[in-house]
Amino acid sequence: MIEKALMGIAAAAAVAAAAVIGVIAAAFALWTGLYMLVGQAWAAAIVAAVAFVFVLAVVAIARSRAGGHRPRRPAEPEPDASLIDKAVELAREHPLLAVGAAVGAGIYAIRNPQLVAAVVTAFMAGRDEPK
């Protein structure tokens, strides 16, 4: 599950990097084309104006898509929900926080193997008891 999350983050970073490279290449191509016609200063001004219009268009699209959605109300927890149920619910609501906590717990476990052994021993001892 953590591998899927990390792969998703890596894919998103790759797409973002490709988009940035594409925008910079397009801006440079526009500037180069305008440079011969109007000079350096006006070419830079026109490229800045085009970038400003592009940003306004992206903001308008984002607002129109977000306008129809209402913020979700958090589900009320059940009164007898266990600690594990609450942790799973928190992980579903905040997946990046859950990934960060899992990575932090993994690093802590690697640095303190005695604590991990104690937790595993306590967990296994609790299972052996008859109910």
Side-chain angles (χ1 to χ4, degrees):
M1 182 162 162
I2 292 177
E3 281 186 32
K4 276 188 167 183
L6 292 176
M7 291 301 288
I9 291 170
V15 169
V20 168
I21 290 170
V23 168
I24 290 172
F28 185 70
L30 179 63
W31 183 84
T32 303
L34 292 172
Y35 169 71
M36 297 296 190
L37 299 174
V38 295
Q40 284 183 344
W42 282 107
I46 293 170
V47 169
V50 169
F52 181 71
V53 169
F54 179 74
V55 168
L56 286 179
V58 169
V59 168
I61 291 170
R63 281 190 176 179
S64 69
R65 288 189 178 176
H69 298 292
R70 294 182 181 169
R72 290 189 298 167
R73 289 181 20 190
E76 296 181 20
E78 297 177 10
D80 59 341
S82 69
L83 181 61
I84 294 174
D85 292 337
K86 290 179 184 178
V88 169
E89 182 180 337
L90 180 67
R92 285 184 183 159
E93 290 178 5
H94 305 286
L96 291 178
L97 180 67
V99 169
V103 169
I107 291 171
Y108 189 76
I110 290 171
R111 293 183 141 201
N112 299 311
Q114 293 173 345
L115 178 65
V116 174
V119 168
V120 169
T121 303
F123 180 74
M124 295 306 285
R127 293 182 138 228
D128 290 341
E129 296 175 7
K131 292 185 177 184

